[in-house]
Structures are given as structure tokens and as C-alpha cells.
Amino acid sequence: MMAQEYPWQATMRGACPLFDFVTNFGMTRLFAERPLRSGNGETLDEVFSTDLIEFIVALTDVNATTRAALGECCYDADVKSHKRKNVWNLEFLKEADAAFSVQKVLSNTSGRSMLAL
């Protein structure tokens, strides 16, 4: 969707060549080999950030038992045992959350000394 197209048309083996490719070789390789439809020959991994690729790969894992969770408590044991990732634990989201928290604190201080933080 970030490339303004869906990655595949169906998720049944044999129904979509792109899904079959991802099943056999992985989403990371698809990003490395698939050109951007509206670009000048650039591949998706040349256009997307490494963080975005990591995020998409984690959420689109074809193996449902290792696909990243979105924070659902029913997957806490899998996350703790490292069987699956929680997207909120991806480094760039932690950094974004920390930056947002700092910005929120700064906007709430209105007039208070920064040293009080």
C-alpha cells in the first residue's frame, strides 16, 4: 500500500505469483527485486526506509505463528519467549514513542522551567 499497490492478489498457493514468491523467498527479497510501479526503475528497498521494511516484513510474515503482534495480550507469552515480535518493540517505534513523550511533556510544561523535567 505504501507503493500504491497491494503486494499480492490472493494468499492461496498458486493463486498469485507474488504471494508464491514471498512464500518461497521472503518479503525482504521481494522488496529487493520488485521495482516501484510509478518509479524510474528503483526497487522497493531503495525507496522504503529500513525501518519501514522491518515493520512490513514483521506484519506480513506468511507464517501466522511467527507474524508480529500489535500488542494483543493473547500473544504476550510468544513475545516474551521470542517466538514472535511485538511491533511496538521495534527500535524505530520505541524511538518515535520516546520522542512523542518528550514532545508531550514539553508542550505540557508551558512556562515551567525545563530543569524541572
Side-chain angles (χ1 to χ4, degrees):
M1 293 177 76
M2 296 300 293
Q4 299 179 342
E5 61 183 307
Y6 290 102
W8 42 74
Q9 299 299 313
T11 55
M12 281 181 35
R13 284 189 180 262
C16 176
L18 288 175
F19 183 74
D20 290 343
F21 183 90
V22 170
T23 301
N24 292 324
F25 303 108
M27 192 68 142
T28 304
R29 185 158 166 199
L30 177 73
F31 285 136
E33 295 187 14
R34 184 156 172 101
L36 187 63
R37 186 171 52 153
S38 60
N40 295 316
E42 307 96 332
T43 58
L44 295 173
D45 71 344
E46 293 174 313
V47 178
F48 293 165
S49 71
T50 305
D51 293 331
L52 179 60
I53 292 172
E54 179 185 18
F55 180 75
I56 294 170
V57 167
L59 286 175
T60 59
D61 190 334
V62 294
N63 183 347
T65 61
T66 56
R67 188 177 304 134
L70 291 168
E72 304 93 329
C73 61
C74 59
Y75 297 124
D76 283 349
D78 287 349
V79 171
K80 287 179 184 170
S81 67
H82 303 285
K83 289 181 182 173
R84 82 170 65 230
K85 293 179 181 180
N86 181 330
V87 294
W88 301 109
N89 292 335
L90 296 176
E91 198 57 41
F92 84 102
L93 285 178
K94 284 185 192 178
E95 292 170 8
D97 186 45
F100 177 75
S101 295
V102 168
Q103 182 181 15
K104 189 174 176 183
V105 168
L106 292 176
S107 67
N108 288 336
T109 59
S110 58
R112 284 192 270 160
S113 168
M114 292 292 288
L115 295 176
L117 296 175

